[in-house]
Amino acid sequence: MHIIAESFLNAVMVTGLVIIMMLMLEYINVSSQGRWATRLRSSSFGQVLLGALLGVFPGCVGGFAAVSLYSHKMLSFGALVAMLIASSGDESFVMLAMFPGKALLLFAALLAVGIVSGVTIDRLRRKPSRDEELCCEGYNVHDEDIHEHQSHHKGRSISNLLHFDWRRIVILAGILLFVAGLVFGLFEHSHGEAAAEEHHGHFNLFDEYWINLIFAVISVFAIWFTAVSDSHFVKEHLWNHIVRRHVPSVFLWTFGALLAIELGLHYLNLESWTSDNIPLMILLAVLIGLIPDSGPHLIFVTMFAGGMVPFSVLLASSISQDGHAALPLLAETKSGFVKAKAINALIAAIVGYGVYFLGA
């Protein structure tokens, strides 16, 4: 029951963060009449750079944003891989707490590897594959949205709350409950709490709780535009596109994957593995990185902090793993998930062994 409850809470957290990001991107796209999306699509390098920057941001929020953009055809496959390479998941919080200087060096290396890999992949993939046709309609602007924009946002008013719309009420209630969960620490991970206890009394802006709190404050923006937007935007963009299309698949796939992973790891004692054979440890780090979850990779962080493995093992683990960031991708496209993770693991092995043979 504990594993089921933990998996359920993590699935709610992942789904909530992903949907909040999608709601905000939907609002930005409609408000800009699609101009921001056009500019983003016009720069291949800009997409890769954005993907890598979102990935290197501590935690999984940036990764969720990148997956949301990719699933709506705003980021290329190379940009998606760049994000997965740059992302360290929730382990980034632990690394910043345990060895901040080396952690920043690691993040810089991940950013560089992600950008180079993403640009190379996009140049090799000249024609978009069918895997990139993900969302049913993407972030589209309707005729009603154009009319509203030309009318100086006439339909955007707090008075819209006075007109009963059950969809608006459900969305607002869901966001408010999710924000409350973030504020009260309902979705914090146990490894984050352990690191906090170890470094008690040290304020760290990049602690998992503070990142969640900052995101909760940002989510107030989603509450605002959901409350003041006209009925068309709420019904067609927020409800029919985001809630109905994405919430069920993201939650069910995330919950199922997390439950299966947690049950498997329950019978697998990673800490009993030896660090005597470094090439083998690099291979294990790459393979364990295929698991789309935060937690299993923490063993390599603690082993590096204790001087048991060199930097090459931590680097290979960090490139291969991406915390929860890939879970929404699994819900959107299974083949895209497999291809992205396979490329991720291949790059992790190449870079990890390369750095090891260079003596690091």
Side-chain angles (χ1 to χ4, degrees), residues 92-112:
S92 57
F93 298 117
V94 181
M95 289 189 283
L96 284 168
M98 298 181 73
F99 41 88
K102 295 179 180 178
L104 292 177
L105 177 63
L106 172 67
F107 297 160
L110 294 176
L111 184 66

Side-chain angles (χ1 to χ4, degrees), residues 169-186:
I169 294 175
V170 171
I171 295 173
L172 286 174
I175 298 176
L176 287 170
L177 289 174
F178 180 69
V179 169
L182 290 176
V183 171
F184 292 104
L186 182 63

Side-chain angles (χ1 to χ4, degrees), residues 57 68 70 103 105 114 153-154 158 178 183 188 190 203 210 260 302 315 353:
F57 189 80
S68 299
Y70 172 73
L105 177 63
H153 308 288
K154 182 179 178 181
I158 196 65
F178 180 69
V183 171
E188 285 189 75
S190 58
F203 173 77
W210 290 107
T302 56
L315 180 60
Y353 283 115

Side-chain angles (χ1 to χ4, degrees), residues 258-301:
L258 287 175
L259 183 60
I261 291 168
E262 293 299 326
L263 288 173
L265 293 176
H266 181 69
Y267 300 100
L268 183 63
N269 185 11
L270 297 180
E271 296 182 358
S272 64
W273 295 358
T274 178
S275 60
D276 294 337
N277 191 332
I278 300 304
L280 176 60
M281 291 301 295
I282 293 177
L283 177 60
L284 290 175
V286 172
L287 295 178
I288 294 176
L290 295 173
I291 302 174
D293 187 17
S294 286
H297 326 288
L298 186 60
I299 180 64
F300 300 105
V301 174

Side-chain angles (χ1 to χ4, degrees), residues 54 69 119 226 265 290 299 316-317:
L54 289 173
L69 289 169
V119 170
T226 301
L265 293 176
L290 295 173
I299 180 64
S317 173

Side-chain angles (χ1 to χ4, degrees), residues 19 24 26-27 95 163-164 166 186 192-193 203 217 249 260 272 329 335 348 354 360:
I19 297 305
M24 296 179 69
E26 188 79 49
Y27 177 80
M95 289 189 283
H163 303 286
F164 178 78
W166 64 269
L186 182 63
E193 294 172 0
F203 173 77
V217 174
S249 61
S272 64
L329 181 65
S335 60

Side-chain angles (χ1 to χ4, degrees), residues 5 9-10 18 57 84 97-98 147 159 179-180 182 186 202 215 239 245 247 279 281 295 318 323 331 336:
L9 285 177
N10 283 333
V18 170
F57 189 80
L84 294 175
M98 298 181 73
H147 175 72
S159 63
V179 169
L182 290 176
L186 182 63
H202 292 78
F215 192 80
W239 183 261
R245 158 72 178 171
V247 170
M281 291 301 295
S318 299

